[in-house]
Amino acid sequence: VETASVGSFTVTFAGTSLFVIYLPIAYCYDKLKLAWRMKSSGTSTYEGLSSLHEHKNQLLDYRTIKAALVLMPLWFGANFFYNSSLCNTSVGASTILSGTSASFTLLIGSFLGIEVVNKYNVSGVIVCLVGIILIGLDASSEGTDADTGTCTKSNSVLGDFYALVSAFFYALYALWVRYAFPDGDKSVRMEILFGYVGFFSILFLGPVFVLLLLTKLEDPSSLTPQIILFIIGNGLINNVLSD
């Protein structure tokens, strides 16, 4: 992808939009689960239809859809700026700076009253920062030329700035999920939430992607079938499966 000069927007847009496959998967899973339950327990058709209606309500839950609408730009921003940082600074430096998201989460969360500052939270952030420092020292001792990537520019300051912005967006993403669903998985089905993140990515960022291709800000010639397959595979593994 680097050698083909594929832009960060394309890679991030593809990875985020692929989350949409969670919606049909969730729907089919619910139907299969319901059918198996009816078959094994002898549930009546009326009760089965009632349960199916309940599952449809979960897929169309207003609270989940509203949360996904806010979450989409935060998720996209975090990944877009991280991918952009990789093309301007070393992978090691980008990883180190992106790791500061825990500090941003605690600072912003405590300011907004979402996170409670206690010795455990502070200790966790300190341990995280110590780890980041150790990684930085190790990377600096080995040199950064080996992990810079072929698309790296000379503007490492800009790359470091992108990595910090990415960490900031990651913190906002984590805090928003914590704020929208204080009970965690008990109050939301995460696969449906991320499914709508993918849906809103296609809905709102799809036209932007087409515009970038038409204006040649994203090079259409770089999107060969091989590169497209690689981008989709990368999105499925690094986004859909891992998250």
Side-chain angles (χ1 to χ4, degrees):
V1 173
E2 288 180 353
T3 55
S5 301
V6 177
S8 299
F9 187 95
T10 299
V11 175
T12 310
F13 169 70
T16 305
S17 298
L18 283 170
F19 278 132
V20 76
I21 68 174
Y22 274 138
L23 294 179
I25 290 176
Y27 178 78
C28 293
Y29 171 78
D30 288 344
K31 291 196 67 174
L32 290 174
K33 184 178 179 181
L34 177 61
W36 174 259
R37 184 186 305 169
M38 291 176 62
K39 182 179 179 179
S40 59
S41 63
T43 305
S44 66
T45 303
Y46 174 78
E47 292 174 335
L49 291 175
S50 178
S51 299
L52 182 59
H53 180 70
E54 179 184 345
H55 289 306
K56 286 183 177 179
N57 287 339
Q58 291 180 351
L59 284 170
L60 299 176
D61 180 61
Y62 174 75
R63 183 184 177 190
T64 302
I65 295 173
K66 183 177 70 172
L69 183 60
V70 178
L71 183 61
M72 187 276 289
L74 300 179
W75 179 267
F76 181 86
N79 286 274
F80 171 77
F81 283 107
Y82 178 75
N83 289 331
S84 298
S85 71
L86 295 176
C87 282
N88 288 277
T89 190
S90 68
V91 175
S94 179
T95 303
I96 292 166
L97 293 171
S98 297
T100 59
S101 59
S103 303
F104 283 122
T105 302
L106 184 60
L107 290 173
I108 301 173
S110 60
F111 177 76
L112 297 177
I114 300 175
E115 291 285 344
V116 178
V117 179
N118 54 46
K119 60 181 180 181
Y120 301 107
N121 288 341
V122 174
S123 299
V125 171
I126 292 175
V127 170
C128 179
L129 293 176
V130 169
I132 291 171
I133 292 172
L134 293 176
I135 294 173
L137 293 175
D138 181 66
S140 63
S141 65
E142 294 180 359
T144 58
D145 292 337
D147 64 348
T148 51
T150 56
C151 69
T152 301
K153 312 294 192 302
S154 59
N155 195 349
S156 61
V157 175
L158 181 62
D160 294 343
F161 174 74
Y162 283 158
L164 283 174
V165 174
S166 172
F168 180 75
F169 271 100
Y170 270 119
L172 293 180
Y173 145 74
L175 289 170
W176 171 248
V177 174
R178 175 78 175 273
Y179 172 78
F181 305 103
D183 296 331
D185 291 344
K186 296 179 181 178
S187 55
V188 63
R189 290 178 59 180
M190 294 302 293
E191 74 274 16
I192 296 178
L193 176 66
F194 275 102
Y196 276 110
V197 168
F199 172 77
F200 287 128
S201 174
I202 296 172
L203 182 64
F204 294 111
L205 298 180
V208 178
F209 177 62
V210 173
L211 182 62
L212 291 175
L213 291 177
L214 293 176
T215 56
K216 301 297 179 67
L217 293 176
E218 290 281 340
D219 185 12
S221 63
S222 65
L223 300 177
T224 63
Q226 182 181 3
I227 292 298
I228 291 174
L229 287 175
F230 183 85
I231 291 174
I232 293 175
N234 177 71
L236 289 174
I237 295 172
N238 289 334
N239 285 67
V240 176
L241 291 180
S242 64
D243 297 309

